[in-house]
Amino acid sequence: MRTFLRGCLLWGVLSGVPAWSGPPPAPAPPASPAPPVPPASPAFSPEVQLCLQHLKPSERARATKALGPLDELPRYRVQLDVDPAAREVTGRVQVEVLARETPLTELYLRLTPNAQGRRVTLSGAKVGGRPVKLERPEPTLYRVPLEEPVPVGAAAVVDVAVKATVPQAAAGGGGMLSGLLGGGSRGGGGDHGAFSATEDFLSLVGVVPQVPPTDAVGRPWDGPQGIGDLALYEPAHVLATITVPSGWTVHATGAPMGEVPERNGRMRFAFAAAAVRDFPILVSRGYESSTATVGGVTVESHYAARDKAAGERVLKYASAMLEEYERRLGPLPYTHFRVVEAPLSGGAGGMEFPGLVTVATSLYRGSADPTEALAGLQGMEGLEELLGAMGQGGNPVMAHLGEVLERTLEFTVAHEVAHQYFAGLVGSDPIHMPVVDESLAQYTALLYVEWKHGKGAADAQRKEALVSSYHLYRLSGGKDGRADRPTGDFADEFEYGALVYGKAPLLHQASRQLVGDAAFLQALRAYVDTYRFKWAGGDGFTRELAKASPAHAKRLEALRVRWWLEAHGDEDLGKADLASMLGAQGLGDLGDLQGMELDPASKQLLEQLMPGLLGE
């Protein structure tokens, strides 16, 4: 508690933002012990020292080398109050940005939830303590004019009030097979529930306004397009306190600074984060947690109480994955990593943020009861009837589906953990170049399957999760095309999933076959080391491969053009075939309608369900 209180009071003194709203809390021991403050350089302010608890001491020098002095990074001071019953969030956020190379004449603040409607508003803005009128050039973007340029070496300090109304979470959507295979759903995916509320869970991703990166002429990067990821930001420090009713818990990125009860029966949670590209906030009720330690990283799994068995498996998966990734890709710089079960929508299996990822509730429950994973999916009316009819003859369809969903759960966790490197450490533009980080996270997850379960299992997973995704899209009438393009250029989530998650990652398989395993893994590690905390372009990994295998430089670039910029999917992945695709899922008996030993009524029902199976 001493660390937590000192951080809040210090923050209030330094920023001018009140450390507490209302009377100070009565003395009480924290619900969980606050970590000790490690010794830090006297050059760092106490506020930065608090944030640096989130960085491994061994990683601070590396971060400084990549980012420059760590006390010059942008800082966010966040104080929010959450009312789950009303689905409302109120509070204040202070943003401090140093003019490092050129004077500052304006700042932009991005609010990604507003891509789905005006859900978060800013008001009462002040710059350096003086009122300023905000401008809103785009739905997700606020412009903060600075009356006088902020000279190099000085900081612009913007303080704003935040108010948000969180929408009710949407029911599950998307075709059954498209969801299992990573193909996404027809239509735009929105934010997949990133900013939504259920009775026991609020996802508040994007509620904290953040400064977007800018291009060479000072224009902010584009915001979310309704497909794919939402945003990514420059590494920054965050000090946050979030107050919730008693019985609710806050999950966020960063080192926990403690939990303090307030006199009104509410609980205040605090977090300090260092050099992170985003700051997600989740609030849950009735959750339990399990914890492990890997290489100096506290790994936490948070899950609904009814899903404890799956939540503990997720902890084992995440711990094993982090151990493999740290050994081969380099250390994760942060002291804490969290996996949180979340009621995602729109066919999403997971969502990634620095130091925290979410995994869909449907995957936690699917292996035990596949019908729960499929419940609510569009076009799936009558599926239980079909599965029941097939099961009467001893066909273990449900068991097969359970096995597929468990593999999907493990693979999804591997994909999300890999995102801690791509694009958590190695930053890339998620809107203009989503193929960069998504393809590497997907292929690194395949590498994990190979390292953990063998090449045979990895080859089966490649067919099940990647190739089948592309084939399903083609069977549904989708056209092959360029994978390396902005998210807004895709027709829908189905096309996006098939080309970005299905076809594009197999560039890395082709590159690996060309240069060999040793050169490929050498280049992958060099890529992480070279662009750690920085931004990588679309050809960054190809250039590292060329350094590791100079004789293949031209061929490597030709492969990148072929797999990412042209349309050769049918040639490279084979012609789509429903029977072989379902066979890759361990559901081969579903693949041949004519050869299936089903009664005529069941065959007719399956034919009726095909549009839903294909995501149409």
Side-chain angles (χ1 to χ4, degrees), residues 253-285:
T253 289
M257 295 288 101
E259 307 162 19
V260 176
E262 297 192 325
R263 288 177 178 173
N264 58 5
R266 297 171 69 80
M267 185 72 72
R268 185 179 294 267
F269 292 77
F271 298 87
V276 294
R277 296 186 187 272
D278 204 347
F279 188 74
I281 299 171
L282 312 172
V283 179
S284 70
R285 179 173 62 178

Side-chain angles (χ1 to χ4, degrees), residues 5 22 54 64 84 96 102 105 111 171 196 214 237 289 320 323 330 366 382 496-497 518 536 548 559 577 584 600 608:
L5 290 175
H54 186 221
T64 300
E96 181 174 338
T102 59
T105 59
L111 286 166
S196 66
T214 55
H237 300 323
S289 63
E323 184 174 8
Y496 178 73
L559 284 174
D577 175 72
Q608 293 171 352

Side-chain angles (χ1 to χ4, degrees), residues 15-18 91-95 109 118 121-135 142-145 157-163 209:
S15 69
V17 178
R92 296 197 72 86
V93 173
Q94 190 177 87
V95 183
L109 297 174
R118 191 163 186 174
T121 58
L122 304 181
S123 62
K126 298 179 180 180
V127 175
R130 300 169 59 184
V132 62
K133 185 177 180 180
L134 294 173
E135 301 172 5
Y142 280 86
R143 178 179 177 270
V144 184
V157 181
V158 178
D159 181 89
V160 293
V162 177
K163 184 175 182 179

